[in-house]
Amino acid sequence: MKEICDIMEKFADAKINKTYLKVCAPMVRYSKVHFRTLVRNFNADLCFTPMILADSFCQNSKARANEFMTTTTDFPVIAQFAANNRDDFVDASKLVYPYVDGVDLNCGCPQKWAMKDGYGCSLLSKPEIIYDIVKGLRNVLPNKFSISVKIRLLNDIKKTVILCQQLEKCGVTFLTIHGRTIAQKSSGPVDINGLKEVREALSVPMVANGGVKNLNDANHLYEVVKCSGVMAAGGLLSNPALFSGITKTPLSCVKMWMELKNKNIERITFQCYHHHLVFMLEKVLTKQQKQIFNHLSTFESVDDFILNNLFENSIVDFHYKHELGNFTECQFPDQITMKHCTKCRTCGKSVHYCVCNKYDYSTTHGNFFISHINADDGLDYMDSNIFDEPI
């Protein structure tokens, strides 16, 4: 078990230095350890894992293997879970506890599938479940271990304030507030005044989220809201160097991404490697180059394309501030996982025999998406049509 990085100390240090924590959002299928390492090299202070379904994580060994990987240098890191009950969230948190510095409950996903199954924004209308989940975990893990909740603004700011104040009483370490309502999803203006009103009512640190496309956006959000941290999602996908102040993905960032893949190619899927580059190179490649690049289907073809089209006449230098580190072989106790593997939540049959247990991340291919890329900050809530298959 690694030593826990105290997230509260991180917030306290930032406050002393009159600045804020720069946070990489939980993005489904993204925000994985290679990407977390990349953004840390460009001034990200705190990273989240992708949003993980707590019940699947507890039930399915493939889900655990594919959705959670970490290394000896992967800190501070917070695992985000979507859950609709205390047992799933508490048990999933216990499984990752030895390997992360905190866990986060997603109460902000506005997608229909999540609302239908009682996840994400659905919980905002059932605050008693949120309180039960948070208190249930706070009672079993050390105070130094961070427990946080990510929500959206309610239509009534006063109700948002009351919800957040109640979460304070439950023992949250900090809160992340997305500055849009459920109905807005990822479109429309961010309610900065609403974020400010919530922040002024809280005593725990607050991370503001929404509309951050560059460092100026992040600085403005911090200066107006007076928050403790600023979270970026789609802006970091398009430009992992966002928090360093660079306005579009530098070639040094692309080169580093290639090198991070080479350090342990067995631990990164092609689609993850390729998709990140599609986002990163959106403002770098010509329209014709994009049409070719989006259809590449092997590591070798992608690397050859970049070397021939971007690096051919230039020397790209970079240095690591944060190395990838050695991968941790996570051990998940049977006494927890066996509680959840007796039957499928969908068909009710044993998970060993059911037809629903089809989790296979590796079945996707190079043409995972080839259509228009909409890299906005809604991706942390799966608010995108670029996925051609369900999670």
Side-chain angles (χ1 to χ4, degrees):
M1 177 176 169
K2 75 167 192 174
E3 182 179 354
I4 297 173
C5 178
D6 193 329
I7 302 300
M8 280 301 294
E9 286 187 2
K10 292 288 183 182
F11 282 116
D13 289 344
K15 185 175 182 179
I16 290 172
N17 293 316
K18 297 182 179 181
T19 186
Y20 60 96
L21 292 189
K22 300 171 178 65
V23 185
C24 177
M27 293 175 279
V28 173
R29 293 191 188 267
Y30 303 108
S31 305
K32 300 210 171 185
V33 66
H34 291 80
F35 187 70
R36 297 196 295 268
T37 303
L38 181 67
V39 296
R40 285 190 180 104
N41 277 281
F42 293 92
N43 296 350
D45 301 308
L46 175 62
C47 294
F48 281 64
T49 69
M51 185 189 77
I52 304 168
L53 293 177
D55 58 352
S56 296
F57 193 78
C58 292
Q59 280 186 302
N60 196 308
S61 60
K62 289 183 180 179
R64 291 190 289 274
N66 288 303
E67 298 301 338
F68 181 76
M69 279 183 268
T70 188
T71 70
T72 52
T73 60
D74 184 25
F75 62 87
V77 62
I78 291 176
Q80 190 193 65
F81 290 107
N84 56 17
N85 65 83
R86 178 177 62 183
D87 289 345
D88 285 345
F89 186 79
V90 169
D91 283 348
S93 299
K94 286 181 178 178
L95 290 175
V96 298
Y97 169 67
Y99 312 110
V100 299
D101 304 295
V103 292
D104 184 83
L105 176 65
N106 183 307
C107 296
C109 179
Q111 297 300 294
K112 290 181 180 179
W113 69 267
M115 301 286 282
K116 174 178 174 292
D117 292 337
Y119 298 115
C121 287
S122 174
L123 292 173
L124 296 178
S125 63
K126 304 169 185 174
E128 68 280 1
I129 296 179
I130 305 176
Y131 306 153
D132 186 49
I133 289 173
V134 173
K135 287 190 292 186
L137 185 59
R138 180 51 79 200
N139 289 337
V140 298
L141 292 180
N143 287 334
K144 186 177 179 181
F145 188 74
S146 177
I147 301 175
S148 56
V149 179
K150 190 172 191 289
I151 71 169
R152 283 176 173 261
L153 291 176
L154 301 173
N155 291 328
D156 186 339
I157 294 299
K158 289 184 173 58
K159 289 183 178 179
T160 310
V161 169
I162 292 172
L163 172 63
C164 292
Q165 289 175 333
Q166 290 298 316
L167 287 171
E168 278 189 322
K169 294 177 181 178
C170 292
V172 294
T173 306
F174 70 95
L175 292 166
T176 301
I177 316 294
H178 186 107
R180 297 186 179 98
T181 63
I182 299 171
Q184 285 180 289
K185 294 188 177 180
S186 61
S187 62
V190 172
D191 186 354
I192 294 183
N193 290 329
L195 288 172
K196 183 178 180 181
E197 186 172 341
V198 174
R199 202 279 310 161
E200 290 173 346
L202 296 177
S203 58
V204 296
M206 190 193 96
V207 175
N209 173 223
V212 176
K213 303 301 182 186
N214 51 57
L215 184 59
N216 287 337
D217 290 339
N219 289 339
H220 178 68
L221 205 55
Y222 164 67
E223 290 164 2
V224 175
V225 177
K226 307 300 181 186
C227 49
S228 301
V230 173
M231 176 181 285
L236 278 175
L237 284 180
S238 296
N239 177 17
L242 181 155
F243 284 132
S244 70
I246 300 172
T247 55
K248 71 176 182 178
T249 306
L251 292 183
S252 60
C253 182
V254 176
K255 181 67 172 176
M256 186 177 291
W257 181 241
M258 296 171 69
E259 291 294 321
L260 286 169
K261 175 262 297 178
N262 292 337
K263 284 178 178 291
N264 201 315
I265 197 170
E266 293 82 11
R267 300 278 189 159
I268 187 170
T269 62
F270 171 76
Q271 61 266 28
C272 179
Y273 178 64
H274 181 231
H275 297 172
H276 275 296
L277 285 169
V278 171
F279 285 118
M280 291 183 209
L281 299 176
E282 184 180 4
K283 297 180 181 178
V284 178
L285 299 179
T286 65
K287 183 177 180 180
Q288 184 178 11
Q289 287 175 324
K290 289 178 186 177
Q291 292 175 342
I292 297 171
F293 188 82
N294 287 1
H295 287 81
L296 299 177
S297 59
T298 65
F299 287 111
E300 292 77 11
S301 62
V302 168
D303 289 354
D304 286 345
F305 180 94
I306 292 174
L307 291 172
N308 293 331
N309 289 275
L310 299 182
F311 298 159
E312 185 177 21
N313 298 315
S314 59
I315 298 175
V316 180
D317 292 324
F318 72 92
H319 69 280
Y320 287 106
K321 292 191 293 184
H322 296 271
E323 292 282 352
L324 180 61
N326 296 321
F327 277 83
T328 302
E329 298 301 329
C330 300
Q331 302 295 320
F332 301 113
D334 289 343
Q335 61 266 35
I336 296 177
T337 60
M338 292 300 291
K339 288 168 52 181
H340 296 265
C341 72
T342 55
K343 65 179 181 179
C344 173
R345 305 287 176 88
T346 302
C347 68
K349 296 180 180 180
S350 165
V351 292
H352 298 290
Y353 300 105
C354 76
V355 295
C356 305
N357 191 25
K358 295 181 179 179
Y359 190 100
D360 190 356
Y361 189 85
S362 64
T363 58
T364 54
H365 50 76
N367 295 327
F368 194 45
F369 62 89
I370 58 177
S371 59
H372 174 69
I373 308 282
N374 180 21
D376 59 31
D377 62 355
L379 279 168
D380 56 336
Y381 295 122
M382 298 177 63
D383 187 22
S384 172
N385 60 3
I386 65 175
F387 302 116
D388 61 9
E389 62 172 16
I391 281 293

